[in-house]
Amino acid sequence: MSIAPPTSTDEVPQAAAPAPKSRGPWAPLRPLVLRLHFYAGLFVAPFVLIAAVTGFLYAGAFQAEKLLYSHELTVPVGDTKLPISEQVDAARKAHPEGTVSAVRPSPEDDATTRVMLSGVEGVAATHTLAVFVDPYTGKVRGALEQYGSTGALPLRTWIDEFHRDLHLGENGRLYSEFAASWLWVIAGGGVALWFSRRRALRKVRGTSGRRRTLGLHGTVGVWAAAGFFFLSATGLTWSTYAGANVDELRTSLGQSTPSVSAAAGGGEHAGHDSASAAGGDGEHGVGLDKILSVARAEGLGDPVELVPPADASSAYVVKQVQRSWPEKQDAVAIDPATGEVTDTVRFADYPLLAKLTRWGIDLHTGVLFGLVNQLALMVLTLSLILLIALGYRMWWQRGRGSSFGRPIPRGAWAQVPPYVLVPLMAGVAVVGYFIPLLGIPLAGFLLVDIVLGEVAYRRGRRTAV
């Protein structure tokens, strides 16, 4: 990706000079792409920079979390694990507040069991209090606030929310969607501009000044461009506005992510013993031990999460929560009265777009391939930070004497022939509709640019008269 215009100052487009027809459609388009690339990079770069820095921190938070919370997360390996019901009882004795919203049995020999409590005073409504239990002794090793399906603990939760919305809530999410909406545009423009340059002008060795900055900027950007396209596309899939459009499109194509039905089997025994839920201990009907045993028989291996029935007419839901490769996302619903499976959803049966969305999000967040994934994201975000710094440096170097960062002249669109400009504008309008934080700012920029151009034209006419 490129953040500032990858051309030397002698390549600044002249609005009045028509492009030679013999050079093909790219010749008139290049000045337009250059101007868009320059201004988009100039004004969007601060938002992209924040997303890159916080994304770098988030990628490193997984390993930091393991070190910081090692006491809560790990235990010495024992001989035999206690029944899951006894582990939940131990958690409830230590923390009787709230209600049990989910249980994650120890997935590995040296890992603790997590008992998640909702409705705990002092814990955010969208978070839970995770109580960590030694599966061999039943000893509670601590309790920490937890967020999300990946079980983020306080450190990663804070960084995650900073990356997503700057801790400003739903309105703050607009910053990250704005950055993601424009990242692929700037990256694509930079790649197009770089490869349109003569090969001799792309080299870094033996150059200096702005040309060397340009060479470094372009080389790093071209190598990292595919990663930027990926980050942009996957980031938009769960953004506020573009994400809603993606969901609507997937639904219309029958590609939504399926979910297991939590309705119990029905009949006079449905919800039997549900009154035991009043204590908030997570035990309903046949109990947690039986439910876990049934889920295991259905092929749900660790790690799994048990979600107690929400009410008297609901079933237990047991789902796999492994997001690393190979992903385990199977889920079953089990009647609490009879212990019978009432619904099953297998990840293998997900529609293609649902699978791609799941893989894309998990790759974006650094969990799909574990440490390798996280290191790759850190390298990618560092390259983005470097590109932004080089882009602003080129803007500085565009000046002459006391002139700082001269802009690209307007009027480039006038050089584009109608047979290219009309379909291009139609395509931009469609993309802008589906990605509002691209379309609305672009329309605003064009409106301001047209007004400024008209003002400059009228002043020029008055001066000439």
Side-chain angles (χ1 to χ4, degrees):
M1 170 196 166
S2 304
I3 295 296
T7 58
S8 56
T9 52
D10 60 352
E11 294 180 290
V12 174
Q14 300 300 318
K21 293 183 180 180
S22 60
R23 295 179 61 190
W26 172 245
L29 275 177
R30 191 179 194 282
L32 182 62
V33 174
L34 176 59
R35 182 165 167 78
L36 174 65
H37 182 70
F38 175 82
Y39 278 108
L42 188 64
F43 294 114
V44 178
F47 299 93
V48 177
L49 179 62
I50 295 172
V53 172
T54 55
F56 175 86
L57 295 175
Y58 184 78
F62 287 91
Q63 302 306 315
E65 187 176 70
K66 293 178 181 179
L67 295 174
L68 184 61
Y69 306 116
S70 61
H71 177 75
E72 289 83 0
L73 294 172
T74 59
V75 294
V77 178
D79 296 326
T80 304
K81 292 183 179 180
L82 299 172
I84 193 64
S85 59
E86 293 186 22
Q87 298 180 50
V88 173
D89 286 343
R92 295 302 285 156
K93 288 178 181 178
H95 293 274
E97 65 272 27
T99 58
V100 177
S101 59
V103 180
R104 292 190 178 186
S106 167
E108 298 170 351
D109 291 342
D110 64 344
T112 53
T113 290
R114 297 193 192 191
V115 179
M116 278 80 85
L117 308 177
S118 60
V120 177
E121 186 176 356
V123 176
T126 56
H127 297 185
T128 58
L129 181 68
V131 182
F132 299 85
V133 182
D134 186 326
Y136 301 101
T137 66
K139 180 181 178 181
V140 173
R141 296 179 65 86
L144 296 167
E145 193 167 335
Q146 176 180 296
Y147 170 75
S149 58
T150 61
L153 298 179
L155 173 65
R156 184 153 59 93
T157 297
W158 192 92
I159 297 174
D160 174 40
E161 293 176 350
F162 188 34
H163 175 67
R164 186 174 65 251
D165 58 24
L166 302 179
H167 294 283
L168 298 175
E170 285 300 312
N171 291 333
R173 293 186 66 179
L174 296 179
Y175 113 84
S176 56
E177 183 170 354
F178 180 66
S181 298
W182 281 90
L183 179 58
W184 67 276
V185 176
I186 306 172
V191 169
L193 291 168
W194 181 251
F195 282 109
S196 70
R197 289 173 60 84
R198 296 190 302 274
R199 184 180 296 271
L201 295 177
R202 299 183 206 158
K203 66 179 183 179
V204 178
R205 185 176 301 177
T207 59
S208 60
R210 184 177 182 278
R211 184 149 169 213
R212 180 175 179 81
T213 306
L214 170 61
L216 290 170
H217 182 78
T219 301
V220 174
V222 166
W223 279 103
F228 299 150
F229 280 116
F230 167 79
L231 289 179
S232 180
T234 54
L236 288 173
T237 57
W238 75 93
S239 60
T240 300
Y241 297 107
N245 289 332
V246 171
D247 288 342
E248 184 178 341
L249 177 62
R250 286 175 54 200
T251 300
S252 67
L253 296 174
Q255 296 286 309
S256 297
T257 300
S259 59
V260 68
S261 172
E268 60 177 336
H269 298 294
H272 179 63
D273 286 342
S274 61
S276 64
D281 59 3
E283 288 281 4
H284 302 255
V286 297
L288 289 171
D289 297 327
K290 174 65 175 179
I291 295 299
L292 182 58
S293 176
V294 172
R296 299 296 194 204
E298 288 294 313
L300 271 67
D302 287 323
V304 297
E305 179 176 284
L306 292 79
V307 180
D311 51 44
S313 61
S314 299
Y316 278 96
V317 172
V318 184
K319 52 188 177 182
Q320 292 177 308
V321 292
Q322 179 170 305
R323 297 288 179 81
S324 59
W325 191 267
E327 294 214 350
K328 296 180 180 180
Q329 297 290 304
D330 293 353
V332 297
I334 303 173
D335 191 313
T338 64
E340 295 180 356
V341 175
T342 59
D343 193 24
T344 302
V345 172
R346 303 289 181 183
F347 185 68
D349 298 327
Y350 276 29
L352 177 60
L353 290 183
K355 287 182 178 179
L356 292 176
T357 299
R358 179 74 274 152
W359 290 330
I361 291 175
D362 292 339
L363 193 60
H364 183 108
T365 54
V367 298
L368 188 59
F369 297 113
L371 180 60
V372 173
N373 194 166
Q374 294 149 23
L375 291 174
L377 287 173
M378 294 175 80
V379 171
L380 190 59
T381 52
L382 284 176
S383 67
L384 185 52
I385 293 169
L386 174 62
L387 283 170
I388 292 172
L390 291 172
Y392 277 117
R393 177 169 174 76
M394 278 194 294
W395 180 41
W396 178 286
Q397 291 172 326
R398 280 185 57 80
R400 286 287 186 271
S402 60
S403 177
F404 173 76
R406 294 183 297 112
I408 303 296
R410 65 173 54 87
W413 64 271
Q415 301 182 36
V416 184
Y419 71 88
V420 175
L421 185 62
V422 172
L424 178 63
M425 292 177 65
V428 169
V430 172
V431 173
Y433 174 81
F434 282 100
I435 310 178
L437 291 192
L438 170 64
I440 294 174
L442 180 59
F445 169 76
L446 291 176
L447 179 61
V448 171
D449 198 47
I450 290 172
V451 170
L452 292 177
E454 182 64 22
V455 170
Y457 173 74
R458 292 178 180 275
R459 285 178 177 175
R461 289 191 60 182
R462 286 199 299 269
T463 302
V465 173

